[in-house]
Amino acid sequence: MGAQKSIHAGKAKIDVNVDFTHKICASMMLPSLRNAGSPLSLVIGSLCIKHPNLFGGSEKLDVSWDKGLYDSNILVAYRRPRPQWVAQQCFVMQHSLSPEIGVHGIPVDNFSRSGSGGVNLSRFSVGLDLNEPASSKWSSTTSVKFENVRLLSDDGRSITRDLDGFPVTCSGNAHDSMVVLKQESQYAKANEHSFSRFTMQIEQGIPVLSKWLIFNRFKFVASKGIKLGPAFLLTSLTGGSIVGDMAPYQAFAIGGLGSVRGYGEGAVGSGRSCLVANTEVTLPLSKMLEGSVFLDCGTDLGSGRLVPAR
């Protein structure tokens, strides 16, 4: 069920998009959904509201809400117009709720999926994004945000330990707080026969208060695609590491889509560091069908023992 509506407010036009689906069939087939308490828990969908001229000076306000069966995300973004040659500012407030399965997930179906281990991540953040003017091949984004992370049980209660008695936060309390300065740079180059892409993310926890997390976390993704006749070869290398304070939910999870396919998220392992290599060859079999062969491998570089709760 979806709907789109444009509302005129003065000289501005507000766009409203709604899309909801009720998972009745799923509730009859899956026991985990059959036991859901409220019918609203079986509703998935999204709501998006956009105002292109909030205060009459081309200020943009975007409000979006996405809800899945087990997760949800609310995002409020406010942008003020600035000259194109300076960094574009965006004030962002966000709240998300999702199962934490990278470390606390339970492998099911012979490790092909990761089920909930009774730990859910509730994250609230507010801050500022700065998008630097892009060059021909490079783009850069800098952000500074306050984050509050709270761990919840499946019934919504705050928890400090998982089902095995291990702590789920770095502070040992029901929540972790931090101010994070993040820098993300991306290089991209493409032509008719190949493309190259490199992305680097660096996050620094700023010690505003003594109890807040202090850490440095970096991650890189390098990928290369080459056309080989009718086939296409894609290779990528992903790596990262974190030093300083670390909560279990900040660990690098190995396994799942975008990592080692065929395994659930975190089913291969998790660690303070990681290295994942992917190779894939795609070949068209017909006008409507194509096949692929892939090889993935990943390692925590011996850092899995350094992750709390592992």
Side-chain angles (χ1 to χ4, degrees):
M1 178 180 68
Q4 183 173 353
K5 179 72 174 179
S6 294
I7 303 173
H8 291 273
K11 297 182 179 180
K13 184 178 72 171
I14 304 175
D15 296 324
V16 181
N17 297 310
V18 182
D19 186 10
F20 285 103
T21 303
H22 195 275
K23 289 294 185 179
I24 299 179
C25 296
S27 66
M28 298 172 61
M29 298 174 60
L30 299 178
S32 60
L33 299 181
R34 190 190 309 137
N35 296 330
S38 169
L40 291 178
S41 63
L42 302 178
V43 174
I44 63 174
S46 62
L47 171 65
C48 181
I49 301 175
K50 295 185 177 182
H51 197 304
N53 192 23
L54 186 61
F55 299 116
S58 299
E59 301 90 350
K60 294 179 173 60
L61 177 67
D62 296 338
V63 180
S64 63
W65 175 51
D66 297 288
K67 182 185 179 302
L69 288 175
Y70 306 107
D71 58 349
S72 65
N73 183 72
I74 300 174
L75 177 65
V76 179
Y78 170 72
R79 300 174 178 86
R80 294 185 301 177
R82 304 189 73 193
Q84 295 183 353
W85 59 86
V86 299
Q88 301 299 305
Q89 295 181 350
C90 180
F91 297 91
V92 179
M93 182 170 61
Q94 184 175 14
H95 178 267
S96 62
L97 177 65
S98 61
E100 201 298 292
I101 58 178
V103 174
H104 298 97
I106 300 176
V108 294
D109 295 341
N110 196 24
F111 291 88
S112 63
R113 294 189 300 111
S114 294
S116 173
V119 179
N120 299 275
L121 198 64
S122 175
R123 186 190 300 269
F124 171 79
S125 65
V126 58
L128 176 66
D129 289 342
L130 296 174
N131 296 305
E132 300 292 338
S135 65
S136 58
K137 298 177 181 178
W138 284 95
S139 62
S140 177
T141 301
T142 303
S143 66
V144 57
K145 294 180 181 179
F146 166 79
E147 295 186 7
N148 181 272
V149 180
R150 186 177 297 272
L151 282 301
L152 306 175
S153 63
D154 288 339
D155 56 6
R157 294 181 296 105
S158 294
I159 57 175
T160 59
R161 296 184 177 274
D162 61 17
L163 298 177
D164 296 319
F166 292 102
V168 293
T169 62
C170 180
S171 64
N173 300 321
H175 64 88
D176 286 330
S177 296
M178 65 200 86
V179 172
V180 181
L181 177 64
K182 180 179 179 180
Q183 172 74 39
E184 180 174 352
S185 300
Q186 178 174 294
Y187 169 85
K189 179 182 178 181
N191 56 42
E192 295 181 356
H193 305 286
S194 66
F195 77 88
S196 302
R197 184 181 296 115
F198 178 79
T199 302
M200 170 69 80
Q201 297 178 357
I202 300 177
E203 296 178 83
Q204 177 65 56
I206 302 175
V208 177
L209 296 179
S210 59
K211 295 183 179 180
W212 290 7
L213 273 61
I214 307 172
F215 62 90
N216 182 274
R217 187 179 195 267
F218 81 91
K219 179 181 178 180
F220 73 87
V221 180
S223 57
K224 177 75 174 181
I226 303 175
K227 189 174 182 181
L228 302 173
F232 190 80
L233 172 66
L234 175 63
T235 62
S236 66
L237 182 67
T238 303
S241 185
I242 180 172
V243 295
D245 298 334
M246 188 190 75
Y249 55 80
Q250 292 179 303
F252 294 93
I254 305 172
L257 294 176
S259 181
V260 180
R261 289 164 285 188
Y263 291 87
E265 183 180 349
V268 176
S270 60
R272 276 185 173 265
S273 303
C274 79
L275 197 62
V276 177
N278 309 94
T279 302
E280 176 181 314
V281 178
T282 304
L283 185 68
L285 302 178
S286 66
K287 292 183 178 180
M288 302 294 292
L289 183 66
E290 65 179 19
S292 63
V293 178
F294 64 85
L295 174 65
D296 301 333
C297 58
T299 174
D300 62 10
L301 301 174
S303 64
R305 58 185 175 82
L306 302 177
V307 177
R310 292 299 292 178

